């Protein structure tokens, strides 16, 4: 495969759909996952790739200003926002036309759904190379369910052999002249009822697409339940937990077990002086007694480390989380002190994208109970509960 740095590509992200199957007043591409809109993850995924030169986001008129403010606030300078249309093909065509002033006929354009958060760089590269060679390319996946056809009365008429068919997925790639010509020749019927871009390239540009089998993570958010799946995948892929300064081997063992059951990556560091927090977005600190200054200093240092984080993955794109586990025989007194610290600092920490929680534990509290609570806090990472103090008590 050729070096993709020598093959600049552009991306068209149709995001003008209303999400009727999603069942929500807000289109699914703007719904939040981990406190950020879905479309932002998709844009970020492409924007970090050096060989992606232009990203056209096509949205309905009512969301143009919203997207423009969103991409500007995140510094996405490759993004161009274009107004969509009533149907998918018409919206994509608007995105294609927006690239006419910046692309040559032989350049490569990829079309990808805004609600497909997860696409590997290797897939993007493979589709881009294949479309450069053949004029068009797309990915597919095996069908999960058998496809049947009912008659006019609602009775089974035909059952297709699913081994002969595939589910068309995204991204799909094209030579710019191919996809532009296909849309220029498409009929009103195609624009009103069609959904398959590869078929337009075949029908109107005479270009037979090369099909590439894609990985399982090319699914898109379609139904409300998919929001939870997307959240789980993001957490599983991106959350790395570091346990710092915990001298209690039993608690460490419990944390490794419970966090591992969630498929989260866990590392253990003896002290805060020797740990590296740049590549860690979840940190658990262990204290043998409550120290307001220590809690504040540690948290402020995390913010400083966060500013140094220049990784291009989604990890710095998510809020960082810190949980202070404090062992004490006076949890009531510590709770009062913890509340004072949180009231003084929590708003400032939240604005700096740091979620802070305190777990107070009696010395006699079972380590398994503490571990379960800490794991639940990390996995849930609820921003509404940021700044709260929890008591881990055996009852």
């Amino acid at each position: 495969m050729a070096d993709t740095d020598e093959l600049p590509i552009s991306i068209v992200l149709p995001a003008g759909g209303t999400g009727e199957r999603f069942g929500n007043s807000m289109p699914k591409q703007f719904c939040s996952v981990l406190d950020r809109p879905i479309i932002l993850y998709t844009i970020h995924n492409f924007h970090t790739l050096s060989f992606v030169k232009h990203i056209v986001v096509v949205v309905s008129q009512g969301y143009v200003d919203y997207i423009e403010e969103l991409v500007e606030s995140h510094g996405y300078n490759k993004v161009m926002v274009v107004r969509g249309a009533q149907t998918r093909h018409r919206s994509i065509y608007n995105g294609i036309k927006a690239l006419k002033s910046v692309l040559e006929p032989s350049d490569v354009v990829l079309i990808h759904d805004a609600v497909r958060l997860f696409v590997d760089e290797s897939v993007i590269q493979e589709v881009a190379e294949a479309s450069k060679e053949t004029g068009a390319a797309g990915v597919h996946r095996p069908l999960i369910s058998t496809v049947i056809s009912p008659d006019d009365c609602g009775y089974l008429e035909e059952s297709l052999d699913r081994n002969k068919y595939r589910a068309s997925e995204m991204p799909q790639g094209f030579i710019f002249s191919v996809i532009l010509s296909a849309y220029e020749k498409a009929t009103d019927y195609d624009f009103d009822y069609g959904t398959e871009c590869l078929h337009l390239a075949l029908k109107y540009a005479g270009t037979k697409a090369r099909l590439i089998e894609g990985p399982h993570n090319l699914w898109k958010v379609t139904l409300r339940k998919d929001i939870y799946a997307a959240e789980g995948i993001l957490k599983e892929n991106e959350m790395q937990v570091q346990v710092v300064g915990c001298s209690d081997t039993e608690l460490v063992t419990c944390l490794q077990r419970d966090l591992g059951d969630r498929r989260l990556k866990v590392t253990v560091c003896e002290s805060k002086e020797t740990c590296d927090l740049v590549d860690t977005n979840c940190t658990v600190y262990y204290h043998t007694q409550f120290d307001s200054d220590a809690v504040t200093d540690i948290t402020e240092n995390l913010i400083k480390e966060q500013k140094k984080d220049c990784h291009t993955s989604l990890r710095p794109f998510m809020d960082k989380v810190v949980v202070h586990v404090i062992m004490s025989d006076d949890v009531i007194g510590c709770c009062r002190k913890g509340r004072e610290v949180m009231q003084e600092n929590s708003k400032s920490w939240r604005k700096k994208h740091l979620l802070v929680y305190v777990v107070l534990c009696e010395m006699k509290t079972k380590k398994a109970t503490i571990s379960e609570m800490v794991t639940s806090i990390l996995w849930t990472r609820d921003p509404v509960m940021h700044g709260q103090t929890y008591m881990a008590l055996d009852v």
Side-chain angles (χ1 to χ4, degrees):
M1 182 178 293
D3 184 355
T4 50
D5 283 330
E6 300 177 358
L7 179 59
I9 66 174
S10 298
I11 310 295
V12 174
L13 295 177
T18 58
E20 292 181 2
R21 288 175 292 177
F22 190 71
N24 193 39
S25 58
M26 177 180 289
K28 55 194 175 185
Q29 58 271 26
F30 305 118
C31 290
S32 292
V33 174
L34 296 181
D35 206 27
R36 286 174 173 81
I38 289 173
I39 192 172
L40 202 57
Y41 291 96
T42 310
I43 293 172
H44 182 87
N45 203 23
F46 285 105
H47 201 276
T48 57
L49 302 177
S50 61
F51 53 88
V52 172
K53 304 304 179 183
H54 309 282
I55 302 173
V56 179
V57 180
V58 188
V59 295
S60 59
Q61 178 63 45
Y63 285 94
V64 169
D65 291 342
Y66 168 75
I67 291 295
E68 287 180 341
E69 293 174 3
L70 194 67
V71 298
E72 182 179 357
S73 65
H74 286 79
Y76 295 145
N77 53 16
K78 300 179 185 180
V79 176
M80 181 189 319
V81 182
V82 174
R83 187 174 64 182
Q86 291 183 335
T87 65
R88 175 178 173 81
H89 271 326
R90 293 184 192 278
S91 290
I92 294 175
Y93 188 26
N94 284 356
I96 295 296
K97 288 187 290 186
L99 290 169
K100 290 176 69 173
S101 62
V102 294
L103 296 188
E104 298 295 330
S106 60
D107 287 341
V108 173
V109 176
L110 266 60
I111 300 172
H112 188 75
D113 291 321
V115 290
R116 295 181 188 265
L117 292 74
F118 312 106
V119 55
D120 298 331
E121 181 178 348
S122 59
V123 173
I124 297 171
Q125 291 175 338
E126 190 171 3
V127 172
E129 283 292 330
S131 58
K132 183 69 173 180
E133 294 172 5
T134 65
V139 292
H140 65 88
R141 289 287 298 162
L143 290 174
I144 297 175
S145 302
T146 298
V147 178
I148 61 174
S149 175
D151 62 20
D152 294 338
C153 297
Y155 292 92
L156 177 66
E157 183 174 70
E158 184 180 7
S159 177
L160 300 180
D161 181 359
R162 68 181 182 186
N163 292 321
K164 295 181 179 179
Y165 298 89
R166 295 291 183 269
S168 179
E169 307 286 356
M170 291 286 178
Q172 294 179 352
F174 306 87
I175 296 296
F176 183 62
S177 60
V178 169
I179 192 63
L180 178 62
S181 174
Y183 272 111
E184 287 176 340
K185 296 176 182 177
T187 66
D188 285 338
Y189 184 87
D190 295 313
F191 280 119
D192 291 338
Y193 300 104
T195 58
E196 179 53 69
C197 303
L198 297 177
H199 184 255
L200 290 184
L202 176 63
K203 184 177 180 181
Y204 295 111
T207 302
K208 194 172 184 179
R210 179 184 296 174
L211 299 180
I212 300 165
E213 183 164 355
H216 63 85
N217 63 351
L218 291 178
W219 60 275
K220 64 180 181 177
V221 173
T222 302
L223 306 174
R224 291 180 66 87
K225 64 180 181 180
D226 296 331
I227 289 287
Y228 305 105
E231 180 176 313
I233 293 172
L234 280 171
K235 290 177 178 178
E236 184 178 306
N237 289 349
E238 301 299 335
M239 286 174 62
Q240 296 192 17
V241 183
Q242 189 165 77
V243 181
V244 181
C246 187
S247 56
D248 191 320
T249 55
E250 182 183 356
L251 178 56
V252 169
T253 300
C254 290
L255 286 169
Q256 289 175 321
R257 179 199 64 208
D258 292 340
L259 293 168
D261 287 344
R262 294 280 192 174
R263 298 183 182 178
L264 303 183
K265 307 174 186 70
V266 186
T267 58
V268 179
C269 189
E270 292 184 359
S271 68
K272 65 180 186 302
E273 287 77 15
T274 58
C275 65
D276 180 9
L277 299 174
V278 173
D279 202 35
T280 306
N281 56 13
C282 297
T283 309
V284 178
Y285 280 99
Y286 180 84
H287 307 265
T288 55
Q289 61 182 0
F290 189 88
D291 185 335
S292 300
D293 291 336
V295 170
T296 302
D297 291 345
I298 287 171
T299 308
E300 291 295 336
N301 286 335
L302 271 172
I303 294 173
K304 293 178 182 178
E305 293 293 338
Q306 181 168 288
K307 291 180 179 178
K308 299 177 185 178
D309 192 342
C310 58
H311 286 247
T312 57
S313 71
L314 278 176
R315 209 169 303 130
F317 190 55
M318 300 163 64
D319 290 323
K320 288 196 175 184
V321 179
V322 58
V323 178
H324 293 284
V325 177
I326 300 171
M327 306 297 296
S328 175
D329 285 326
D330 180 19
V331 294
I332 302 300
C334 288
C335 183
R336 183 172 57 253
K337 295 177 183 178
R339 184 170 58 185
E340 292 173 356
V341 171
M342 291 303 180
Q343 286 178 338
E344 182 178 350
N345 298 288
S346 60
K347 287 184 178 180
S348 171
W349 291 340
R350 181 66 185 95
K351 288 179 180 179
K352 296 172 183 177
H353 300 290
L354 189 71
L355 305 179
V356 183
Y357 311 85
V358 171
V359 176
L360 297 176
C361 317
E362 292 180 312
M363 291 296 185
K364 63 181 181 180
T365 305
K366 294 178 181 177
K367 302 307 185 291
T369 301
I370 301 172
S371 177
E372 289 174 358
M373 179 174 286
V374 171
T375 299
S376 177
I377 291 171
L378 290 173
W379 182 257
T380 306
R381 51 184 302 134
D382 187 346
V384 175
M385 301 306 293
H386 154 73
Q388 298 298 313
T389 299
Y390 299 84
M391 288 188 184
L393 307 174
D394 286 320
V395 294

